[in-house]
Amino acid sequence: MRRAKAPLLILTVALVLADSAVVTLALPDILRHLDASVGQVAWVLIAYNLVLGLTAVPAAMAFTRAQPRIFSAAGIAVFAGSSAMCAVAGSIDVLIAARCVQAVGGALALVGCLELLVAQQGERRGVTSWVTAGVVGTALGPVAGGLLTQAISWQAIFVVQVPIAVLAVPAALAVRALPTVVPDRHRPATRANLTLALMSAALTAALFLLVLLLVQGWGRSPATAAVTVSVVPVAAIAARPLARLFLPPAEVEIAVGCFLVAGGLLGLALPPSASLAWTIAPQALVGLGLGLTVDRLTSAAMEMRLPRAHHAGWTIGARHVGVVVGLAILTPVFTADLRDAQVPAQQAITSLVLDAPLKPEDKIAVAESLGNELSGQRDQVPDLHSAFATLRLDPGERPAAARLERDLNAQVERAATRAFRDSFLIGAGLALAALLTLVPLRRRRPS
Amino acid sequence: MSAPRWIAMPIAALVLVCGVVGVQLANGGGTYEPLRPADPCVARQVTSRADGIDGLTERLVLLGIDGAACRLHVSREALTLELAQADEPTDAQIDALRSGLHTAVRRMKADGSLPPASALVDEALESSDLNDLLKTLIRALPDSVIDSALKTDDVLTRAIDDLDLRALLADVDDQQALEKRVEVAVTGAVKDSLEARVRDLA
């Protein structure tokens, strides 16, 4: 247990922050399994980030008056229990409630683990481990969630967290850390936290919208989407060694990171086709930007500020409020754009069916079948395959029908991609706004 | 004094972003959108996989929808979807469709794609309920006689005038009912056309 203490605490920090986006790829499965609406299922994601963002600072305030190991162990235990509750939730309301409790436990665990890691590894190494675990957890969350959903089920996402968190409870209790009574000497780092909030909103756009585009828009499986978005964490991990080659000042590194995320989101807004390959380079830019900014900003917001737990609370709050703001801005935009995309998509489908090289009676049959499918899949990107699967065609007509199905799917992918464009561009705007916060404000000299 | 090493970092970032976005745009990134509907007022070539009367009907309908959409200032796709989704077509849509079909007949006559009546007689007789003796007699007539007695464009124009387009649209997913309505309209049009011909001769 002695050697496992720090790794278990680091893993817990990564888990809590991965939970911010871990369910993104599981949302369609949760929607179906719990018979929920799109609006309700979005709250599985929003509720966690909102509660974590709002409770982080009060948790940090409470921490200074508590025994660190008891406080941390209690937080981790609540996180473990509520993760189990998420896994067995039989309704969307129970799942959302469990996610709220999970976020409260997560806030306590994050603040507590920071102090325990510092007690265990020393100031510099402890803070670095805490910050790095957060970045890796954030970047890997959607990938891990997608793979677990595809391989087992959405419940598996929560089940796997339980044993890790349960093992982390005795690990937390075993750390000898004394309560640190430090007067509240420093104000929160407003600028670093604001930049962090805006970057979190922009990164939410990148991860959340990209997985939705891949799964809902382009019809890829959660596993394929998970493997595809793994470019982001890989690039994020590569960012730090690459940055060391240039020895940049922290502000330059953060500014470059913001610019790379904006550029990556611009690239994601403009794919030339629905091929996964076109998302790789933009994702690499986003990942490099993530690796250069989030840990630097978190460190900048906490460096030389005491009490450490308070400032950690502010950074957690800024990050997760940023995620919620990102979701709040982007969700209505892309849902409205998806709705608006239905008309051009239907018109493109109609055009191809009218001109299809099929016999007139087969065209009518295809049109009728497509009409039935499309009316049954309102407000969703349609799956046209079942419309063709139920058709009875002459064997001679099947190659033309297969070609038509391919062409229609291509039109649907085009319409879905176009529908996501504005949201990605807004995400790029958020990253540029984060860049603007780095511009030094000139103070007027007294005359 | 040389520039600090870190200057290369923002430059590298700028090159990377411009490179990625440039390659995306050069490959059509800004224009990856659904097919835009064509202007229905611009004449288009229509083809059909079917032969005979079915092929002729399909080409007429496709050109007719174009003409109707042009009259209504909407795309043919928008008109098709409106007709498919609405419970009842409006009077303006019915008028535009009829007018579009008439224009289609004139256009096909002008470009020579309208087949002579003799080319359609056999197929029409097969599906008609005339008695066998009459069918044999008509089949025995030389093509030149049929073509001089019946003009395809005249028959089609009369059939379009007689067709109950509202009922036809309601039956669009019922192949048998659709064929029956067209057959009744075409048979009536053939009779009217022959009568008019006889009247002209007299």
Side-chain angles (χ1 to χ4, degrees):
Chain A
M1 177 55 82
R2 199 164 154 241
R3 277 191 189 166
K5 276 188 277 188
L8 279 169
L9 295 175
I10 290 169
L11 211 50
T12 305
V13 173
L15 273 186
V16 173
L17 288 165
D19 257 290
S20 164
V22 76
V23 290
T24 310
L25 275 164
L27 292 181
D29 279 36
I30 296 174
L31 184 137
R32 273 192 300 276
H33 186 246
L34 297 182
D35 196 20
S37 68
V38 175
Q40 284 174 314
V41 92
W43 274 96
V44 178
L45 202 63
I46 296 170
Y48 182 84
N49 285 289
L50 186 62
V51 173
L52 187 55
L54 294 179
T55 53
V57 174
M61 302 286 179
F63 179 78
T64 47
R65 286 181 221 110
Q67 272 289 335
R69 57 199 189 101
I70 306 288
F71 186 96
S72 311
I76 300 169
V78 170
F79 182 78
S82 49
S83 294
M85 209 160 88
C86 288
V88 297
S91 75
I92 191 76
D93 297 331
V94 173
L95 180 59
I96 293 170
R99 287 281 284 168
C100 292
V101 181
Q102 200 190 20
V104 173
L108 303 182
L110 281 180
V111 173
C113 284
L114 172 64
E115 288 301 325
L116 297 188
L117 282 169
V118 168
Q120 185 74 10
Q121 299 183 319
E123 168 84 30
R124 196 178 165 79
R125 208 169 141 215
V127 172
T128 306
S129 298
W130 187 83
V131 171
T132 310
V135 174
V136 173
T138 305
L140 280 176
V143 180
L147 290 174
L148 284 167
T149 303
Q150 180 78 28
I152 309 168
S153 69
W154 67 265
Q155 290 95 335
I157 293 173
F158 299 106
V159 171
V160 295
Q161 300 186 23
V162 178
I164 298 169
V166 165
L167 284 174
V169 173
L173 288 170
V175 177
R176 284 185 195 165
L178 295 170
T180 45
V181 186
V182 181
D184 202 350
R185 279 192 225 151
H186 303 108
R187 286 194 302 174
T190 314
R191 190 184 289 210
N193 281 322
L194 178 62
T195 314
L196 193 56
L198 287 166
M199 280 306 289
S200 297
L203 289 166
T204 302
L207 292 170
F208 177 65
L209 291 175
L210 183 60
V211 292
L212 275 183
L213 176 63
L214 296 179
V215 176
Q216 297 288 90
W218 295 356
R220 301 299 203 278
S221 68
T224 308
V227 171
T228 307
V229 299
S230 64
V231 173
V232 174
V234 169
I237 290 163
R240 175 77 32 232
L242 283 174
R244 267 189 227 122
L245 298 175
F246 299 99
L247 303 171
E251 313 83 65
V252 172
E253 196 174 317
I254 294 167
V256 167
C258 294
F259 179 69
L260 286 172
V261 171
L265 282 161
L266 181 61
L268 288 173
L270 304 168
S273 78
S275 162
L276 298 176
W278 285 114
T279 69
I280 303 296
Q283 281 191 78
L285 294 181
V286 171
L288 287 172
L290 168 71
L292 293 179
T293 51
V294 174
D295 59 345
R296 275 282 189 190
L297 284 165
T298 309
S299 302
M302 290 167 58
E303 212 165 41
M304 310 293 285
R305 287 171 199 271
L306 292 170
R308 198 170 31 238
H310 284 198
H311 295 286
W314 282 109
T315 65
I316 298 162
R319 269 164 83 149
H320 293 277
V321 168
V323 171
V324 174
V325 168
L327 290 172
I329 295 172
L330 297 168
T331 308
V333 174
F334 85 79
T335 46
D337 284 350
L338 265 182
R339 217 171 18 249
D340 292 347
Q342 283 178 6
V343 171
Q346 284 177 351
Q347 290 193 355
I349 287 170
T350 307
S351 176
L352 288 175
V353 173
L354 284 174
D355 295 334
L358 289 171
K359 287 180 185 164
E361 60 271 23
D362 292 334
K363 274 189 198 182
I364 293 173
V366 168
E368 200 186 342
S369 187
L370 283 171
N372 292 338
E373 279 300 320
L374 292 174
S375 57
Q377 298 177 19
R378 283 201 180 280
D379 296 332
Q380 286 176 49
V381 178
D383 172 15
L384 305 178
H385 180 67
S386 37
F388 282 86
T390 53
L391 280 177
R392 283 184 198 160
L393 297 173
D394 289 341
E397 292 284 280
R398 280 187 196 139
R403 241 185 342 267
L404 177 63
E405 185 183 349
R406 267 199 309 277
D407 292 346
L408 296 184
N409 279 323
Q411 291 303 318
V412 171
E413 285 175 347
R414 280 171 175 265
T417 309
R418 176 67 188 83
F420 278 79
R421 183 184 294 174
D422 292 349
S423 301
F424 279 123
L425 291 177
I426 291 172
L430 288 166
L432 288 178
L435 184 60
L436 282 181
T437 62
L438 302 171
V439 176
L441 297 173
R442 264 190 210 161
R443 283 195 188 150
R444 231 181 248 171
R445 285 184 187 169
S447 52
Chain B
M1 202 170 82
S2 62
R5 197 203 277 190
W6 62 260
I7 287 289
M9 193 178 180
I11 294 171
L14 192 66
V15 170
L16 273 177
V17 169
C18 290
V20 169
V21 174
V23 169
Q24 308 260 77
L25 287 174
N27 284 280
T31 53
Y32 185 62
E33 293 176 351
L35 200 66
R36 283 174 197 270
D39 181 353
C41 300
V42 175
R44 82 172 91 204
Q45 282 296 324
V46 293
T47 54
S48 174
R49 279 282 315 280
D51 305 317
I53 294 172
D54 282 352
L56 173 63
T57 310
E58 186 183 4
R59 281 183 287 139
L60 262 180
V61 168
L62 289 175
L63 290 174
I65 294 172
D66 264 345
C70 179
R71 260 177 91 97
L72 294 168
H73 306 294
V74 294
S75 67
R76 67 165 185 164
E77 289 78 11
L79 176 61
T80 309
L81 286 167
E82 278 175 33
L83 291 172
Q85 289 164 355
D87 292 336
E88 182 88 351
T90 64
D91 289 345
Q93 285 172 333
I94 293 294
D95 291 346
L97 268 178
R98 205 178 297 280
S99 164
L101 289 168
H102 281 308
T103 310
V105 172
R106 283 196 295 275
R107 196 189 134 188
M108 288 178 75
K109 186 187 177 190
D111 66 20
S113 58
L114 217 50
S118 56
L120 306 171
V121 162
D122 276 354
E123 197 184 339
L125 286 175
E126 263 176 42
S127 59
S128 78
D129 50 7
L130 292 174
N131 69 55
D132 290 347
L133 179 64
L134 202 54
K135 283 184 184 178
T136 313
L137 280 175
I138 295 171
R139 281 198 182 104
L141 290 172
D143 286 353
S144 57
V145 174
I146 294 171
D147 291 337
S148 62
L150 281 174
K151 301 290 174 200
T152 311
D153 60 313
D154 183 53
V155 172
L156 289 174
T157 304
R158 288 171 191 278
I160 291 164
D161 284 335
D162 289 348
L163 268 176
D164 182 349
L165 289 178
R166 214 176 281 277
L168 200 72
L169 287 169
D171 287 339
V172 81
D173 50 357
D174 182 344
Q175 187 76 14
Q176 276 190 329
L178 202 66
E179 280 173 4
K180 188 74 195 161
R181 282 188 189 282
V182 173
E183 188 189 312
V184 168
V186 170
T187 310
V190 168
K191 211 156 65 181
D192 291 349
S193 182
L194 286 172
E195 280 174 10
R197 195 91 181 130
V198 171
R199 267 201 306 275
D200 287 349
L201 289 173

